[in-house]
Amino acid sequence: MAAVATSDVKIGARGAELENKVRAGLAKIGFHGTSEQLVKFYNENAEDYNEMSFLANYDKLGCHALIASLSELVPNKDARILDVAAGSGLAGKELRRFGYSNIDALEPAEKMLDLAKSENIYKNYIIDTVTPDKRTDIEDDTYDALCIMGAVLKGHVTLKCLPELMRITKSGGVIIFNVAEKYLKSDPQFQNGNHGTVFQKHVENGDWLKWDELEAPYRYSDNCVIFRIVVA
């Protein structure tokens, strides 16, 4: 899947206004603030963040590319899928456009989930976080696939959460997520290919059958890399 020239997509004056507001708000707590700070921020700015995401074409670019890539590995439209850090449901909507309907959402910011509930996107709405030191209430081997749109980064869903994500994914199931190019360069988890060492160890340990990565569009001004993992 080739990356597109995102510079041809414009966010517009309203989008730029909201983006500046969101960035300023995140800057006050540090973009990689504590989970509590981030949840509070997303709850207080749910509608603005949602509108900004649409104007920045997260749905048409990042979400579309992510779910198109997932569909290559998960052809069964009845597959049970969890949208992790689901936000207001942008990825969930795209999953439905691709014909998936057995979709749950996991998101710690209740106001963001309220936006998804208003459009009846998911079957189940789970208000929770995925962290390295706490199990969710989800049973082992529950989902055929997990998708994470734009939330695998420091302070959100980190690579240290992989064991928990693997626990709730069925054998042969898929974990797929994307990371913006700017975070691949700035986030220590990914700098200098650090993630490759972590990922390869999971393969060598027999946790994963395989993993791959591919470039894709993300939003109006960014491309990303999509990571696809098949759990053993």
Tab-separated table of all heavy atoms in Angstrom, residues 155-206:
chain	number	residue	atom	x	y	z
A	155	GLY	N	2.629	7.348	26.598
A	155	GLY	CA	1.554	7.994	27.334
A	155	GLY	C	0.179	7.491	26.967
A	155	GLY	O	-0.791	7.789	27.660
A	156	HIS	N	0.084	6.742	25.888
A	156	HIS	CA	-1.197	6.195	25.461
A	156	HIS	C	-1.121	4.667	25.556
A	156	HIS	O	-1.075	4.124	26.635
A	156	HIS	CB	-1.523	6.688	24.054
A	156	HIS	CG	-1.835	8.151	23.976
A	156	HIS	ND1	-0.904	9.129	24.278
A	156	HIS	CD2	-2.967	8.819	23.634
A	156	HIS	CE1	-1.465	10.333	24.141
A	156	HIS	NE2	-2.718	10.169	23.758
A	157	VAL	N	-1.132	3.979	24.441
A	157	VAL	CA	-0.940	2.531	24.426
A	157	VAL	C	0.503	2.271	23.999
A	157	VAL	O	0.860	2.495	22.852
A	157	VAL	CB	-1.908	1.834	23.446
A	157	VAL	CG1	-1.700	0.320	23.481
A	157	VAL	CG2	-3.358	2.182	23.787
A	158	THR	N	1.344	1.838	24.938
A	158	THR	CA	2.758	1.652	24.630
A	158	THR	C	3.039	0.210	24.215
A	158	THR	O	2.196	-0.680	24.379
A	158	THR	CB	3.638	2.005	25.841
A	158	THR	OG1	3.422	1.021	26.862
A	158	THR	CG2	3.298	3.389	26.380
A	159	LEU	N	4.241	-0.012	23.707
A	159	LEU	CA	4.624	-1.364	23.308
A	159	LEU	C	4.689	-2.311	24.506
A	159	LEU	O	4.594	-3.533	24.344
A	159	LEU	CB	5.970	-1.344	22.580
A	159	LEU	CG	5.998	-0.605	21.235
A	159	LEU	CD1	7.365	-0.748	20.589
A	159	LEU	CD2	4.899	-1.114	20.296
A	160	LYS	N	4.820	-1.763	25.715
A	160	LYS	CA	4.816	-2.606	26.906
A	160	LYS	C	3.433	-3.210	27.177
A	160	LYS	O	3.295	-4.113	28.005
A	160	LYS	CB	5.277	-1.800	28.125
A	160	LYS	CG	6.761	-1.453	28.089
A	160	LYS	CD	7.188	-0.693	29.338
A	160	LYS	CE	8.671	-0.371	29.303
A	160	LYS	NZ	9.118	0.368	30.507
A	161	CYS	N	2.423	-2.711	26.460
A	161	CYS	CA	1.064	-3.250	26.589
A	161	CYS	C	0.847	-4.472	25.694
A	161	CYS	O	-0.222	-5.098	25.761
A	161	CYS	CB	0.031	-2.183	26.217
A	161	CYS	SG	0.045	-0.724	27.268
A	162	LEU	N	1.814	-4.807	24.870
A	162	LEU	CA	1.634	-5.915	23.932
A	162	LEU	C	1.220	-7.227	24.605
A	162	LEU	O	0.341	-7.928	24.083
A	162	LEU	CB	2.903	-6.114	23.101
A	162	LEU	CG	3.097	-5.124	21.947
A	162	LEU	CD1	4.495	-5.266	21.350
A	162	LEU	CD2	2.030	-5.342	20.864
A	163	PRO	N	1.806	-7.610	25.739
A	163	PRO	CA	1.363	-8.865	26.366
A	163	PRO	C	-0.137	-8.891	26.682
A	163	PRO	O	-0.791	-9.929	26.513
A	163	PRO	CB	2.212	-8.938	27.644
A	163	PRO	CG	3.468	-8.209	27.275
A	163	PRO	CD	3.000	-7.061	26.422
A	164	GLU	N	-0.676	-7.772	27.161
A	164	GLU	CA	-2.112	-7.725	27.443
A	164	GLU	C	-2.928	-7.794	26.159
A	164	GLU	O	-3.957	-8.478	26.092
A	164	GLU	CB	-2.459	-6.454	28.227
A	164	GLU	CG	-3.935	-6.232	28.473
A	164	GLU	CD	-4.594	-7.316	29.331
A	164	GLU	OE1	-3.891	-8.181	29.886
A	164	GLU	OE2	-5.836	-7.294	29.432
A	165	LEU	N	-2.476	-7.120	25.113
A	165	LEU	CA	-3.174	-7.177	23.836
A	165	LEU	C	-3.140	-8.588	23.271
A	165	LEU	O	-4.139	-9.076	22.724
A	165	LEU	CB	-2.537	-6.196	22.848
A	165	LEU	CG	-2.573	-4.719	23.250
A	165	LEU	CD1	-1.798	-3.875	22.244
A	165	LEU	CD2	-4.009	-4.217	23.370
A	166	MET	N	-2.007	-9.258	23.397
A	166	MET	CA	-1.882	-10.631	22.927
A	166	MET	C	-2.788	-11.568	23.724
A	166	MET	O	-3.372	-12.510	23.175
A	166	MET	CB	-0.425	-11.088	23.050
A	166	MET	CG	0.512	-10.394	22.075
A	166	MET	SD	2.238	-10.323	22.654
A	166	MET	CE	2.540	-12.012	23.110
A	167	ARG	N	-2.911	-11.321	25.025
A	167	ARG	CA	-3.719	-12.188	25.890
A	167	ARG	C	-5.163	-12.256	25.434
A	167	ARG	O	-5.798	-13.317	25.477
A	167	ARG	CB	-3.652	-11.681	27.337
A	167	ARG	CG	-4.426	-12.552	28.326
A	167	ARG	CD	-4.459	-11.934	29.716
A	167	ARG	NE	-5.253	-10.717	29.790
A	167	ARG	CZ	-6.589	-10.686	29.856
A	167	ARG	NH1	-7.296	-11.823	29.850
A	167	ARG	NH2	-7.237	-9.540	29.935
A	168	ILE	N	-5.713	-11.130	25.005
A	168	ILE	CA	-7.133	-11.082	24.646
A	168	ILE	C	-7.381	-11.384	23.171
A	168	ILE	O	-8.524	-11.374	22.716
A	168	ILE	CB	-7.754	-9.721	25.019
A	168	ILE	CG1	-7.120	-8.566	24.235
A	168	ILE	CG2	-7.629	-9.480	26.520
A	168	ILE	CD1	-7.763	-7.210	24.519
A	169	THR	N	-6.307	-11.687	22.426
A	169	THR	CA	-6.421	-12.018	21.012
A	169	THR	C	-6.320	-13.528	20.818
A	169	THR	O	-5.466	-14.187	21.417
A	169	THR	CB	-5.298	-11.335	20.201
A	169	THR	OG1	-5.328	-9.933	20.444
A	169	THR	CG2	-5.475	-11.586	18.706
A	170	LYS	N	-7.171	-14.078	19.990
A	170	LYS	CA	-7.162	-15.517	19.723
A	170	LYS	C	-5.892	-15.941	18.996
A	170	LYS	O	-5.266	-15.130	18.298
A	170	LYS	CB	-8.374	-15.904	18.865
A	170	LYS	CG	-9.718	-15.678	19.514
A	170	LYS	CD	-10.835	-16.011	18.545
A	170	LYS	CE	-12.215	-15.735	19.136
A	170	LYS	NZ	-13.302	-15.994	18.148
A	171	SER	N	-5.533	-17.206	19.124
A	171	SER	CA	-4.433	-17.760	18.344
A	171	SER	C	-4.749	-17.616	16.861
A	171	SER	O	-5.857	-17.945	16.414
A	171	SER	CB	-4.243	-19.235	18.689
A	171	SER	OG	-3.231	-19.812	17.892
A	172	GLY	N	-3.796	-17.079	16.111
A	172	GLY	CA	-4.027	-16.815	14.699
A	172	GLY	C	-4.686	-15.475	14.439
A	172	GLY	O	-4.881	-15.086	13.285
A	173	GLY	N	-5.027	-14.757	15.521
A	173	GLY	CA	-5.655	-13.452	15.392
A	173	GLY	C	-4.651	-12.367	15.054
A	173	GLY	O	-3.432	-12.572	15.077
A	174	VAL	N	-5.176	-11.201	14.756
A	174	VAL	CA	-4.368	-10.100	14.238
A	174	VAL	C	-4.420	-8.900	15.178
A	174	VAL	O	-5.493	-8.547	15.687
A	174	VAL	CB	-4.876	-9.677	12.836
A	174	VAL	CG1	-4.156	-8.425	12.348
A	174	VAL	CG2	-4.695	-10.815	11.844
A	175	ILE	N	-3.266	-8.306	15.416
A	175	ILE	CA	-3.177	-6.999	16.081
A	175	ILE	C	-2.603	-6.028	15.060
A	175	ILE	O	-1.518	-6.271	14.514
A	175	ILE	CB	-2.269	-7.051	17.325
A	175	ILE	CG1	-2.798	-8.058	18.339
A	175	ILE	CG2	-2.152	-5.660	17.957
A	175	ILE	CD1	-1.854	-8.323	19.502
A	176	ILE	N	-3.314	-4.957	14.787
A	176	ILE	CA	-2.859	-4.008	13.767
A	176	ILE	C	-2.949	-2.592	14.318
A	176	ILE	O	-3.921	-2.234	14.992
A	176	ILE	CB	-3.697	-4.158	12.468
A	176	ILE	CG1	-3.144	-3.277	11.354
A	176	ILE	CG2	-5.170	-3.885	12.709
A	176	ILE	CD1	-3.741	-3.586	9.976
A	177	PHE	N	-1.913	-1.802	14.067
A	177	PHE	CA	-1.917	-0.412	14.523
A	177	PHE	C	-1.030	0.419	13.605
A	177	PHE	O	-0.210	-0.117	12.845
A	177	PHE	CB	-1.437	-0.303	15.981
A	177	PHE	CG	-0.054	-0.816	16.249
A	177	PHE	CD1	1.057	0.007	16.143
A	177	PHE	CD2	0.142	-2.138	16.634
A	177	PHE	CE1	2.337	-0.462	16.404
A	177	PHE	CE2	1.415	-2.625	16.895
A	177	PHE	CZ	2.521	-1.788	16.781
A	178	ASN	N	-1.229	1.727	13.655
A	178	ASN	CA	-0.391	2.624	12.858
A	178	ASN	C	0.290	3.652	13.763
A	178	ASN	O	-0.197	3.974	14.845
A	178	ASN	CB	-1.198	3.310	11.745
A	178	ASN	CG	-2.418	4.046	12.257
A	178	ASN	OD1	-2.603	4.247	13.449
A	178	ASN	ND2	-3.291	4.455	11.350
A	179	VAL	N	1.432	4.128	13.305
A	179	VAL	CA	2.197	5.132	14.032
A	179	VAL	C	2.630	6.204	13.037
A	179	VAL	O	3.227	5.893	12.006
A	179	VAL	CB	3.446	4.521	14.717
A	179	VAL	CG1	4.219	5.598	15.473
A	179	VAL	CG2	3.047	3.384	15.648
A	180	ALA	N	2.319	7.460	13.337
A	180	ALA	CA	2.703	8.564	12.453
A	180	ALA	C	4.222	8.639	12.328
A	180	ALA	O	4.950	8.367	13.280
A	180	ALA	CB	2.160	9.884	12.985
A	181	GLU	N	4.683	9.028	11.147
A	181	GLU	CA	6.125	9.076	10.897
A	181	GLU	C	6.850	9.954	11.912
A	181	GLU	O	7.960	9.631	12.338
A	181	GLU	CB	6.386	9.581	9.474
A	181	GLU	CG	6.076	8.549	8.405
A	181	GLU	CD	6.423	9.030	7.007
A	181	GLU	OE1	6.638	10.257	6.836
A	181	GLU	OE2	6.473	8.194	6.095
A	182	LYS	N	6.218	11.056	12.326
A	182	LYS	CA	6.905	11.959	13.264
A	182	LYS	C	7.148	11.278	14.605
A	182	LYS	O	8.149	11.544	15.279
A	182	LYS	CB	6.118	13.250	13.450
A	182	LYS	CG	4.731	13.096	14.042
A	182	LYS	CD	4.036	14.451	14.128
A	182	LYS	CE	2.620	14.327	14.674
A	182	LYS	NZ	1.948	15.648	14.738
A	183	TYR	N	6.242	10.367	15.020
A	183	TYR	CA	6.440	9.663	16.279
A	183	TYR	C	7.449	8.528	16.137
A	183	TYR	O	8.117	8.171	17.106
A	183	TYR	CB	5.112	9.147	16.822
A	183	TYR	CG	4.160	10.265	17.164
A	183	TYR	CD1	2.863	10.280	16.687
A	183	TYR	CD2	4.585	11.328	17.955
A	183	TYR	CE1	2.009	11.321	16.982
A	183	TYR	CE2	3.729	12.379	18.260
A	183	TYR	CZ	2.436	12.372	17.763
A	183	TYR	OH	1.590	13.408	18.048
A	184	LEU	N	7.560	7.972	14.942
A	184	LEU	CA	8.604	6.974	14.719
A	184	LEU	C	9.982	7.589	14.935
A	184	LEU	O	10.925	6.915	15.352
A	184	LEU	CB	8.511	6.414	13.304
A	184	LEU	CG	7.295	5.532	13.003
A	184	LEU	CD1	7.262	5.192	11.524
A	184	LEU	CD2	7.303	4.266	13.839
A	185	LYS	N	10.085	8.885	14.668
A	185	LYS	CA	11.358	9.583	14.814
A	185	LYS	C	11.569	10.120	16.233
A	185	LYS	O	12.710	10.242	16.694
A	185	LYS	CB	11.433	10.736	13.817
A	185	LYS	CG	11.387	10.283	12.360
A	185	LYS	CD	11.307	11.475	11.412
A	185	LYS	CE	11.201	11.032	9.961
A	185	LYS	NZ	11.039	12.190	9.042
A	186	SER	N	10.467	10.457	16.945
A	186	SER	CA	10.608	11.131	18.243
A	186	SER	C	10.339	10.236	19.446
A	186	SER	O	10.796	10.535	20.550
A	186	SER	CB	9.671	12.336	18.308
A	186	SER	OG	8.307	11.926	18.246
A	187	ASP	N	9.599	9.155	19.270
A	187	ASP	CA	9.252	8.277	20.380
A	187	ASP	C	10.360	7.248	20.574
A	187	ASP	O	10.669	6.484	19.662
A	187	ASP	CB	7.924	7.574	20.078
A	187	ASP	CG	7.363	6.817	21.289
A	187	ASP	OD1	8.160	6.407	22.154
A	187	ASP	OD2	6.139	6.642	21.342
A	188	PRO	N	10.977	7.198	21.758
A	188	PRO	CA	12.081	6.257	22.004
A	188	PRO	C	11.726	4.800	21.707
A	188	PRO	O	12.610	3.992	21.406
A	188	PRO	CB	12.388	6.453	23.492
A	188	PRO	CG	11.933	7.847	23.785
A	188	PRO	CD	10.726	8.062	22.926
A	189	GLN	N	10.432	4.448	21.799
A	189	GLN	CA	10.025	3.076	21.501
A	189	GLN	C	10.368	2.674	20.075
A	189	GLN	O	10.596	1.492	19.790
A	189	GLN	CB	8.513	2.911	21.671
A	189	GLN	CG	7.974	3.182	23.038
A	189	GLN	CD	6.480	2.987	23.054
A	189	GLN	OE1	5.980	2.021	23.592
A	189	GLN	NE2	5.753	3.908	22.443
A	190	PHE	N	10.379	3.667	19.176
A	190	PHE	CA	10.552	3.384	17.760
A	190	PHE	C	11.842	3.945	17.170
A	190	PHE	O	12.239	3.561	16.069
A	190	PHE	CB	9.362	3.946	16.974
A	190	PHE	CG	8.052	3.308	17.339
A	190	PHE	CD1	7.173	3.928	18.216
A	190	PHE	CD2	7.697	2.078	16.813
A	190	PHE	CE1	5.971	3.330	18.565
A	190	PHE	CE2	6.495	1.467	17.151
A	190	PHE	CZ	5.634	2.095	18.028
A	191	GLN	N	12.470	4.857	17.878
A	191	GLN	CA	13.694	5.475	17.357
A	191	GLN	C	14.750	4.415	17.047
A	191	GLN	O	14.898	3.435	17.768
A	191	GLN	CB	14.266	6.458	18.387
A	191	GLN	CG	13.541	7.789	18.431
A	191	GLN	CD	14.101	8.707	19.505
A	191	GLN	OE1	14.688	8.244	20.470
A	191	GLN	NE2	13.927	10.000	19.337
A	192	ASN	N	15.445	4.647	15.939
A	192	ASN	CA	16.553	3.772	15.542
A	192	ASN	C	16.132	2.313	15.390
A	192	ASN	O	16.932	1.386	15.570
A	192	ASN	CB	17.710	3.859	16.549
A	192	ASN	CG	18.216	5.277	16.737
A	192	ASN	OD1	18.420	5.993	15.761
A	192	ASN	ND2	18.405	5.685	17.988
A	193	GLY	N	14.854	2.112	15.070
A	193	GLY	CA	14.373	0.745	14.862
A	193	GLY	C	14.284	-0.077	16.129
A	193	GLY	O	14.307	-1.321	16.077
A	194	ASN	N	14.179	0.593	17.291
A	194	ASN	CA	14.124	-0.131	18.560
A	194	ASN	C	12.985	-1.149	18.604
A	194	ASN	O	13.099	-2.206	19.231
A	194	ASN	CB	13.969	0.850	19.730
A	194	ASN	CG	15.242	1.630	20.006
A	194	ASN	OD1	16.320	1.223	19.604
A	194	ASN	ND2	15.114	2.742	20.695
A	195	HIS	N	11.880	-0.811	17.959
A	195	HIS	CA	10.723	-1.713	17.984
A	195	HIS	C	11.034	-3.046	17.306
A	195	HIS	O	10.495	-4.085	17.691
A	195	HIS	CB	9.536	-1.047	17.290
A	195	HIS	CG	9.760	-0.778	15.841
A	195	HIS	ND1	10.542	0.274	15.392
A	195	HIS	CD2	9.342	-1.429	14.730
A	195	HIS	CE1	10.566	0.263	14.068
A	195	HIS	NE2	9.858	-0.754	13.647
A	196	GLY	N	11.895	-3.017	16.296
A	196	GLY	CA	12.204	-4.237	15.567
A	196	GLY	C	12.804	-5.309	16.463
A	196	GLY	O	12.491	-6.499	16.327
A	197	THR	N	13.646	-4.883	17.393
A	197	THR	CA	14.250	-5.829	18.339
A	197	THR	C	13.183	-6.462	19.220
A	197	THR	O	13.184	-7.684	19.449
A	197	THR	CB	15.292	-5.105	19.215
A	197	THR	OG1	16.283	-4.514	18.383
A	197	THR	CG2	15.947	-6.063	20.185
A	198	VAL	N	12.251	-5.626	19.714
A	198	VAL	CA	11.164	-6.118	20.555
A	198	VAL	C	10.277	-7.079	19.778
A	198	VAL	O	9.927	-8.168	20.259
A	198	VAL	CB	10.321	-4.940	21.091
A	198	VAL	CG1	9.106	-5.444	21.869
A	198	VAL	CG2	11.166	-4.031	21.976
A	199	PHE	N	9.929	-6.698	18.552
A	199	PHE	CA	9.024	-7.513	17.752
A	199	PHE	C	9.652	-8.852	17.391
A	199	PHE	O	9.003	-9.900	17.452
A	199	PHE	CB	8.623	-6.763	16.484
A	199	PHE	CG	7.718	-5.579	16.724
A	199	PHE	CD1	7.367	-5.181	18.004
A	199	PHE	CD2	7.207	-4.858	15.657
A	199	PHE	CE1	6.545	-4.092	18.225
A	199	PHE	CE2	6.374	-3.771	15.855
A	199	PHE	CZ	6.044	-3.385	17.147
A	200	GLN	N	10.909	-8.825	16.984
A	200	GLN	CA	11.564	-10.055	16.583
A	200	GLN	C	11.687	-11.032	17.751
A	200	GLN	O	11.605	-12.252	17.576
A	200	GLN	CB	12.949	-9.759	16.001
A	200	GLN	CG	13.583	-10.949	15.291
A	200	GLN	CD	12.699	-11.510	14.186
A	200	GLN	OE1	12.022	-10.772	13.469
A	200	GLN	NE2	12.688	-12.826	14.049
A	201	LYS	N	11.841	-10.499	18.957
A	201	LYS	CA	11.927	-11.350	20.136
A	201	LYS	C	10.623	-12.102	20.353
A	201	LYS	O	10.623	-13.268	20.766
A	201	LYS	CB	12.281	-10.512	21.359
A	201	LYS	CG	12.563	-11.331	22.619
A	201	LYS	CD	13.077	-10.463	23.766
A	201	LYS	CE	14.462	-9.946	23.451
A	201	LYS	NZ	15.046	-9.187	24.612
A	202	HIS	N	9.492	-11.446	20.063
A	202	HIS	CA	8.193	-12.117	20.185
A	202	HIS	C	8.083	-13.267	19.192
A	202	HIS	O	7.492	-14.312	19.499
A	202	HIS	CB	7.054	-11.118	19.972
A	202	HIS	CG	6.765	-10.266	21.176
A	202	HIS	ND1	6.302	-10.783	22.368
A	202	HIS	CD2	6.877	-8.921	21.370
A	202	HIS	CE1	6.130	-9.805	23.250
A	202	HIS	NE2	6.476	-8.669	22.660
A	203	VAL	N	8.630	-13.088	17.999
A	203	VAL	CA	8.619	-14.165	17.011
A	203	VAL	C	9.504	-15.318	17.489
A	203	VAL	O	9.115	-16.494	17.461
A	203	VAL	CB	9.093	-13.657	15.634
A	203	VAL	CG1	9.200	-14.820	14.640
A	203	VAL	CG2	8.131	-12.599	15.090
A	204	GLU	N	10.701	-14.984	17.943
A	204	GLU	CA	11.646	-16.004	18.402
A	204	GLU	C	11.123	-16.763	19.620
A	204	GLU	O	11.389	-17.966	19.773
A	204	GLU	CB	12.988	-15.346	18.731
A	204	GLU	CG	13.709	-14.784	17.508
A	204	GLU	CD	14.910	-13.942	17.872
A	204	GLU	OE1	15.177	-13.783	19.087
A	204	GLU	OE2	15.577	-13.426	16.950
A	205	ASN	N	10.346	-16.070	20.468
A	205	ASN	CA	9.785	-16.714	21.656
A	205	ASN	C	8.539	-17.526	21.357
A	205	ASN	O	7.986	-18.181	22.251
A	205	ASN	CB	9.451	-15.662	22.721
A	205	ASN	CG	10.684	-15.041	23.338
A	205	ASN	OD1	11.782	-15.564	23.214
A	205	ASN	ND2	10.506	-13.908	24.003
A	206	GLY	N	8.074	-17.461	20.109
A	206	GLY	CA	6.878	-18.202	19.730
A	206	GLY	C	5.578	-17.520	20.080
A	206	GLY	O	4.509	-18.129	20.019
